[in-house]
Amino acid sequence: MTAKATTKVISSMAANADSAKWLSGFIPDLPTPFTHQDEIDTDAFGRLCERQIAAGATALVVGETAGESSTLEPAERAELVRIAARVARRRVRIIAGAGSNATDRAVTFTRAAEAAGADAIMSVVPYYNKPMPQGMAAHFRAVAAVTTLPLILHDIPSRTVKGLTDETLVELAASPRFIGLRDGSGDVARLRRLRPRLPPTFRMLTGDDTTSLAYMAAGGDGCISSVSNLAPDLCVAVARHLREGRLYQARELHQRLVPLATLLEREHPAALKFALALLGYMQPTTRLPIVQLDTTAKAEVAQAMAELADEYLAAAQRALPTRHRPSQCTTGPAHGVGDTAPY
């Protein structure tokens, strides 16, 4: 990194630490829509971005787990960031998935994401090659050295085999370059164990929708969410209830999300894409080795969507202040569960 770039990084460190409050609540991990010709459906992706912004998301995650990042070409990764940034127009932050199990590729993806207009980088623990803790720390420091953007670590042991140790996370979090963790361990006790050892500005977010309520109630800052792609207003309502100390109401709403969230987790992201296709937002097309749902799984997702829609809208509306309530709401298949308008 040049001296000029280094100076820019140092001058932005305090601002990054102070401004990380946006990294909270339910933040959607957006899927990547594909056409039947296996190209990115740019129009559909733009609609997904605008829908989430209108619903009150503070950030969008693009090109990450739900986005089938491992099947994306480098140019496609950058294109997703450019589209999201263009749609967002600085209204929300764009978090670009830029991880790899090869440090040089993670560095390349990170540079490209910053050039394309990302506001933050999400970098996953190197998968498959199972590095030692010292190797993980060196990997993330190498990524941080090539960008001025804040970094969010992504720890998901079920996919990477080896996860971040507490000691490695605490070590990295001591630098203001690392502003948060997407915790895919599903271990709420880990949050309680780590919180006293981390800087107060470091943001802890779960990557598990089914345990998101417990995680946030225990002191977590939010959830990088799959189900918020389908019920964004309801997720906003859950987070608002928690923020304002209404745990009972938050639990009541969250329980309605759990059956659908469980199905999404089982076959991710194929189930998410099928559900969004039911709502008319995109085709359910996936890239190999991910395939579309079978008939039984489709029926289960469709049933869960229908059950959620039956009771969702009124509850979500009651949870929001009057000034945020739309004057007319539609729950038809063209708009999606809880949408306030077509996009």
Side-chain angles (χ1 to χ4, degrees):
M1 184 180 291
T2 65
K4 183 177 180 181
T6 301
T7 301
K8 183 178 179 183
V9 169
I10 293 173
S11 65
S12 67
M13 282 183 177
N16 285 340
D18 291 341
S19 62
K21 291 181 179 179
W22 58 267
L23 194 58
S24 62
F26 284 83
I27 295 175
D29 184 359
L30 295 175
T32 302
F34 297 120
T35 67
H36 291 302
Q37 290 72 42
D38 198 36
E39 298 174 346
I40 291 178
D41 187 337
T42 57
D43 290 340
F45 186 68
R47 288 193 296 271
L48 293 178
C49 292
E50 183 58 48
R51 179 187 184 221
Q52 291 295 329
I53 295 168
T58 60
L60 308 176
V61 176
V62 303
E64 238 276 340
T65 306
E68 296 173 82
S69 59
S70 59
T71 70
L72 297 175
E73 296 293 333
E76 292 176 321
R77 288 172 175 262
E79 182 179 18
L80 290 174
V81 175
R82 281 193 294 270
I83 294 169
R86 184 168 61 247
V87 172
R89 301 191 305 277
R90 312 303 299 178
R91 291 176 291 170
V92 300
R93 305 306 208 286
I94 305 303
I95 304 171
S100 173
N101 65 338
T103 303
D104 59 348
R105 267 174 278 178
V107 163
T108 298
F109 295 156
T110 296
R111 284 175 168 150
E114 181 170 11
D119 298 296
I121 298 296
M122 183 171 288
S123 194
V124 70
V125 168
Y127 41 88
Y128 183 74
N129 41 20
K130 301 192 293 185
M132 294 178 290
Q134 300 93 323
M136 288 188 193
H139 170 88
F140 288 122
R141 288 198 182 98
V143 171
V146 301
T147 182
T148 64
L149 299 179
L151 278 86
I152 302 159
L153 303 168
H154 184 187
D155 188 24
I156 181 165
S158 65
R159 292 176 182 262
T160 63
V161 183
K162 291 186 74 171
L164 276 174
T165 65
D166 289 1
E167 289 70 24
T168 302
L169 179 59
V170 170
E171 178 185 342
L172 292 171
S175 166
R177 300 303 318 286
F178 299 96
I179 64 168
L181 172 72
R182 177 180 181 175
D183 183 0
S185 70
D187 181 6
V188 177
R190 183 190 195 194
L191 169 67
R192 298 191 186 100
R193 186 175 68 246
L194 280 169
R195 181 58 91 186
R197 303 179 62 189
L198 296 169
T201 55
F202 190 83
R203 313 299 276 179
M204 295 284 288
L205 299 95
T206 180
D208 181 8
D209 279 307
T210 57
T211 61
S212 58
L213 179 72
Y215 194 92
M216 289 188 282
D221 297 294
C223 176
I224 306 297
S225 171
S226 177
V227 77
S228 64
N229 283 287
L230 301 170
D233 291 339
L234 183 53
C235 290
V236 168
V238 171
R240 184 178 182 85
H241 277 313
L242 277 173
R243 190 168 58 249
E244 297 178 357
R246 295 188 294 270
L247 181 58
Y248 177 82
Q249 291 89 336
R251 184 186 298 115
E252 180 182 310
L253 294 183
H254 184 261
Q255 286 174 344
R256 298 173 185 175
L257 289 169
V258 170
L260 180 58
T262 301
L263 292 173
L264 296 183
E265 183 180 329
R266 185 186 303 168
E267 297 293 348
H268 187 59
L272 172 61
K273 287 191 159 187
F274 174 72
L276 284 166
L278 287 177
L279 301 176
Y281 278 99
M282 60 184 290
Q283 298 296 325
T285 310
T286 57
R287 279 184 175 171
L288 290 173
I290 303 298
V291 297
Q292 295 185 38
L293 299 183
D294 61 26
T295 301
T296 300
K298 287 179 179 179
E300 290 175 341
V301 172
Q303 180 62 29
M305 289 283 288
E307 291 174 355
L308 181 61
D310 283 343
E311 58 180 349
Y312 159 60
L313 190 57
Q317 292 293 309
R318 288 194 300 270
L320 293 173
T322 303
R323 65 180 181 278
H324 292 313
R325 296 178 186 172
S327 58
Q328 183 176 0
C329 298
T330 307
T331 56
H335 308 308
V337 181
D339 284 348
T340 59
Y343 304 112

